[in-house]
Amino acid sequence: MKVPVVPRREPERPREIPKTEDHRFPCEACGGDMRFEPAAGRMVCDHCGNSVDVTPARAPIREIDIREGLQDGAGGAEQEETRVLDCPNCSAQVEFDPDVHAAECPFCATPVVTGTGVNRHIKPGAVLPFALEEPQAHEAMNRWLGSLWFAPNGLQRYAKKGRKMSGIYVPFWTFDARTETSYSGQRGDTYFVRRTVMRDGKPVSVQVPKIRWTPRRGRVARFFDDVVVLASKSLPKSHTDALEPWDLSGLSPYAPQFLAGFRAEAYQVALEEGFREARTRMDAVIARDVRMDIGGDQQRITALDTRISDVTFKHVLLPVWIAAYKYRGETFRFVVNGQTGRVQGERPYSAIKITIAVILGLIVAAIVGFIASQTQ
């Protein structure tokens, strides 16, 4: 019996993920590394002064369907491969040049000498270029430190010595969505009734507020445009939230030239996790819309049924200047919005200054009390 020959099936080749473009741009005049200069919007060589204009791409920034981004572990969206250093202290994954094998983590000032690896992720679709140079960011940070009277003088002097700040492109997700919500609830309107109460042994007529509740049903709709969600876990969320608002009208299609001279952090918050946070923010806005639609002095929401559609996302990089200082065994971090100059950071306290303030307060209170007693 002749055995039929079955043609051998070639194994499927995994789809190749393109490597990220090199963020180093050699100068055509001298071969040195060029960097992006935010103020001028051009590439500059610090070695010979040669400069090249950077013209942002005119192509529209693509909004990606959420289903495309989530399918097969984000296989539906364009991906890239980058080389990163993992910080053992804060777990930041920061992109470094290929010849860098040891560095200091810009997020917490921890020396990073091991943990090199390759990271695969959804490629950024847009970047908000730095608008502030490092001296401007340092000046903004110094003004902020100067306003913290209770901060230790030693920390302020140490920070003002001109220690270099790191320009980091921090990853964010933005989400668009169309929502329609049916609701049921109650509207509360205030009215007053007269009551007689006893005060100092005498009857007094007063007005007492009451609430009249009536059932309400309705529907609200809203289109959410660019709900911004932090995709990093390297910085306290309170820090980055305090840097808002971001003017996303300045977003440009992603181009590696904008990253020259800066670093980029790989996202640590997955797309699905980021969308869950975006939904939480959307739900809060929807609840506010419902309360406004119900009207009255008070509102009760008993049921919400939200239908969401046309959900899209972008992976964007936003500019942040970061300074991390080790001071007396503790790490203090300051962040500056690279677009607006808004500053946020850890707020250290000086025990000596607090003690002096308490003593001065007690002295002032004693003087005021003495003057008051003499007057009486």
Side-chain angles (χ1 to χ4, degrees):
M1 181 177 181
K2 190 175 181 180
V3 179
V5 178
V6 179
R8 186 177 64 179
R9 184 180 180 183
E10 293 292 336
E12 291 185 5
R13 291 186 178 181
R15 191 176 59 161
E16 208 170 296
I17 299 175
K19 293 183 180 296
T20 186
E21 299 174 76
D22 195 351
H23 299 156
R24 301 180 66 183
F25 296 86
C27 174
E28 294 181 357
C30 69
D33 285 340
M34 303 189 78
R35 62 176 178 82
F36 177 68
E37 187 179 76
R42 60 185 178 181
M43 304 281 289
V44 176
C45 176
D46 290 328
H47 183 69
C48 69
N50 182 37
S51 63
V52 178
D53 290 335
V54 176
T55 304
R58 295 183 179 180
I61 300 172
R62 182 190 173 204
E63 294 280 352
I64 305 174
D65 190 292
I66 189 71
R67 294 167 296 184
E68 183 180 344
L70 293 175
Q71 74 176 46
D72 299 329
E78 186 178 1
Q79 295 186 66
E80 68 174 359
E81 191 175 88
T82 56
R83 180 182 176 275
V84 296
L85 292 180
D86 297 327
C87 176
N89 183 45
C90 70
S91 301
Q93 291 186 329
V94 182
E95 186 177 342
F96 287 87
D97 293 331
D99 57 347
V100 174
H101 297 283
E104 185 180 84
C105 176
F107 291 95
C108 65
T110 298
V112 181
V113 294
T114 59
T116 60
V118 173
N119 183 58
R120 292 182 178 182
H121 54 201
I122 297 175
K123 186 175 182 178
V127 59
L128 186 62
F130 275 86
L132 298 182
E133 299 280 1
E134 182 184 354
Q136 296 171 297
H138 217 292
E139 182 182 352
M141 187 190 70
N142 287 341
R143 286 198 303 267
W144 184 80
L145 281 173
S147 67
L148 304 179
W149 194 85
F150 287 111
N153 289 331
L155 176 66
Q156 294 184 19
R157 288 194 298 268
Y158 182 65
K160 291 180 179 180
K161 285 181 180 179
R163 182 179 170 86
K164 183 175 177 60
M165 300 184 74
S166 297
I168 305 287
Y169 279 105
V170 177
F172 285 79
W173 302 111
T174 71
F175 296 93
D176 293 359
R178 195 176 304 280
T179 62
E180 292 184 1
T181 302
S182 300
Y183 69 85
S184 60
Q186 293 179 310
R187 168 178 172 145
D189 293 293
T190 303
Y191 66 98
F192 294 89
V193 296
R194 285 200 169 273
R195 293 284 187 269
T196 301
V197 299
M198 300 298 294
R199 289 182 181 172
D200 298 329
K202 298 179 181 180
V204 178
S205 179
V206 297
Q207 287 190 325
V208 179
K210 298 286 185 179
I211 302 294
R212 181 182 295 109
W213 294 101
T214 53
R216 285 289 184 271
R217 291 180 180 274
R219 179 177 297 178
V220 296
R222 175 179 283 269
F223 176 74
F224 289 91
D225 183 29
D226 284 338
V227 177
V228 180
V229 175
L230 176 67
S232 168
K233 296 182 179 179
S234 307
L235 288 171
K237 193 170 179 301
S238 58
H239 285 21
T240 52
D241 286 349
L243 295 183
E244 295 181 2
W246 298 91
D247 181 7
L248 298 185
S249 65
L251 282 173
S252 296
Y254 174 79
Q257 288 88 343
F258 291 124
L259 275 62
F262 300 97
R263 293 173 181 168
E265 185 192 8
Y267 63 79
Q268 298 163 293
V269 175
L271 177 61
E272 186 175 6
E273 182 182 352
F275 181 57
R276 284 198 297 268
E277 180 175 339
R279 275 302 307 267
T280 300
R281 295 190 182 186
M282 293 177 190
D283 289 343
V285 175
I286 291 171
R288 186 189 65 190
D289 289 348
V290 168
R291 293 183 184 279
M292 292 181 64
D293 199 60
I294 290 175
D297 300 309
Q298 297 185 33
Q299 304 83 31
R300 290 174 178 169
I301 300 175
T302 55
L304 292 174
D305 181 19
T306 299
R307 288 176 294 176
I308 187 167
S309 61
D310 300 334
V311 182
T312 60
F313 77 93
K314 296 189 300 290
H315 173 207
V316 302
L317 300 177
L318 303 185
V320 177
W321 286 102
I322 297 176
Y325 299 93
K326 289 281 189 181
Y327 178 74
R328 294 185 177 178
E330 294 186 50
T331 299
F332 298 97
R333 291 172 295 185
F334 311 98
V335 292
V336 181
N337 184 316
Q339 181 189 44
T340 65
R342 190 178 179 90
V343 183
Q344 185 61 32
E346 267 104 10
R347 185 185 177 88
Y349 291 91
S350 168
I352 295 177
K353 287 186 176 181
I354 293 175
T355 302
I356 292 174
V358 171
I359 293 174
L360 289 175
L362 292 174
I363 292 174
V364 171
I367 293 174
V368 171
F370 174 77
I371 294 174
S373 64
Q374 293 299 313
T375 302
Q376 292 177 355

